Amino acid sequence: MPRQAYVNGRYQPHKEAAVHIEDRGYQFADGVYEVVPVHDGILVDEDLHLDRLDRSLSELRIGAPMSRASLKLISRELMRRNGLSNGFLYMQVTRGVAPRDHKFPKGAKPALVMTTRQMKPHSEKVLAEGLKVITLPDQRWDRCDIKSVSLLPNVLGKQAADDAGAYEAWQVDKKGMVTEGTSTNAWIVTGDGKVVTREATNAILNGITRISLLELIRKEGYDLEERAFSVEEAKGAREAFLTSSTSFVLPITQIDGQPVGNGHPGILTGKLRQHYIDYVKSLRKTA
Ligand code: PDD
């Protein structure tokens, strides 16, 4: 069976699935989304993702498209239809379809789209060599805590990274402090072994991988500081890494062309990646 997508109440062949030209997501980027990782058929941290979806919707005053139980049923049905065991589920909710007008439309129904994508495990090369990041000014708005589909600065930043032969761009605020990557959270390990990541304010998206990894770090008893760090501090750090639903925990070995630490993936980074993978695997037993 060809891959399917869920669009406003119907399962359709992914290739043909479409929304209306006056969907406000299309015209105004007036919508939000979630990317939920799927590992061995399990939706990782599903409720945390749905909590964040609820929060994004309520911050933008968009109604819930349906109950949480219904969202979960559709997620599972789409995964079943697509035979998805490893990859991710994409969920997007917009304010709905209405004649173009900036004001909130009266009576529009939130529009819901879900898709799935298979993903291969991260390559051995990435794990052995680490990733390169560049830094650039953070050009986004003051509500980066909302997971909005309005992602132009992120798109431009990721392309700038790619153009420079790097995987990710770390965005930097006006004070010279790193906020986050264009689609990942940013972390360093200091010379004295402290794990540092920026505190969750409106300046970053509070990643679900970030939340779960913070819990594991506390449980394992590693030193932790939730605070902003500068580009200079990152360049002088012992280790650096990034987190996201599609990356889990991946080592960074170069920032703006300068090696981080000894230029090899960090030892603590490797441990944290393993703790996170063990956590994801443990979900299978409790699901
Ligand atoms: N990106 N910061 C930004 C700006 C993001 O877009 C993401 C996620 C993250 C990490 O969040 P999480 O751990 O919940 O995935 C941080 C998704 C994967 C994307 O846009 O594809």
Side-chain angles (χ1 to χ4, degrees):
M1 214 198 326
R3 184 155 67 115
Q4 303 215 326
Y6 174 90
V7 184
N8 293 322
R10 287 174 45 212
Y11 296 94
Q12 302 178 9
H14 187 99
K15 271 193 188 155
E16 293 153 27
V19 294
H20 194 273
I21 52 168
E22 286 197 305
D23 186 293
R24 289 180 63 95
Y26 180 57
Q27 289 191 326
F28 294 113
D30 188 2
V32 301
Y33 74 105
E34 280 297 325
V35 175
V36 189
V38 175
H39 184 83
D40 282 349
I42 302 291
L43 286 151
V44 178
D45 287 336
E46 181 183 26
D47 277 303
L48 291 179
H49 281 278
L50 293 175
D51 288 347
R52 188 171 64 186
L53 181 72
D54 285 346
R55 182 177 182 279
S56 297
L57 287 169
S58 79
E59 291 299 308
L60 297 178
R61 294 158 59 198
I62 299 174
M66 59 182 63
S67 68
R68 179 171 296 211
S70 303
L71 283 176
K72 288 187 173 182
L73 271 178
I74 295 168
S75 306
R76 280 157 186 72
E77 176 58 16
L78 190 64
M79 283 164 58
R80 190 192 66 74
R81 286 176 186 237
N82 290 341
L84 183 76
S85 48
N86 286 292
F88 61 85
L89 175 80
Y90 178 83
M91 224 183 258
Q92 177 174 312
V93 182
T94 70
R95 204 180 298 278
V97 176
R100 188 175 183 280
D101 180 352
H102 290 63
K103 296 191 298 292
F104 294 175
K106 290 200 176 68
K109 264 185 34 206
L112 170 65
V113 167
M114 278 193 213
T115 57
T116 66
R117 172 117 52 103
Q118 304 223 345
M119 245 177 40
K120 293 200 188 85
H122 300 115
S123 80
E124 288 304 320
K125 187 170 163 9
V126 166
L127 297 176
E129 294 177 9
L131 298 167
K132 297 175 185 171
V133 302
I134 59 165
T135 60
L136 43 73
D138 195 333
Q139 306 191 74
R140 300 174 302 162
W141 69 331
D142 284 339
R143 293 305 308 273
C144 297
D145 56 312
I146 299 173
K147 199 161 173 61
S148 149
V149 294
S150 175
L151 290 169
L152 260 186
N154 309 57
V155 167
L156 296 176
K158 190 73 101 183
Q159 186 57 43
D162 194 61
D163 290 345
Y167 174 79
E168 178 61 297
W170 276 6
Q171 302 167 103
V172 182
D173 69 17
K174 292 198 172 62
K175 293 183 180 146
M177 311 301 265
V178 174
T179 54
E180 61 182 334
T182 64
S183 65
T184 56
N185 287 116
W187 305 68
I188 56 170
V189 179
T190 61
D192 57 354
K194 287 195 186 77
V195 183
V196 183
T197 196
R198 192 164 174 135
E199 68 275 29
T201 63
N202 292 0
I204 66 162
L205 182 78
N206 192 1
I208 304 302
T209 322
R210 174 189 182 281
I211 293 172
S212 289
L213 189 66
L214 282 175
E215 212 171 294
L216 294 171
I217 289 170
R218 289 194 185 101
K219 203 173 101 196
E220 296 295 328
Y222 296 110
D223 283 342
L224 172 70
E225 282 179 4
E226 275 184 84
R227 62 164 173 84
F229 56 85
S230 67
V231 175
E232 277 56 50
E233 185 178 5
K235 286 179 180 169
R238 185 192 288 172
E239 303 182 19
F241 61 96
L242 55 81
T243 56
S244 81
S245 293
T246 45
S247 320
F248 290 3
V249 178
L250 288 179
I252 291 168
T253 46
Q254 231 185 69
I255 301 174
D256 290 335
Q258 293 182 30
V260 178
N262 61 9
H264 296 289
I267 290 172
L268 188 49
T269 300
K271 285 185 185 164
L272 295 178
R273 178 175 166 81
Q274 195 54 50
H275 285 308
Y276 186 75
I277 289 171
D278 291 346
Y279 163 69
V280 166
K281 286 186 176 156
S282 76
L283 299 173
R284 187 163 183 74
K285 296 188 193 98
T286 54

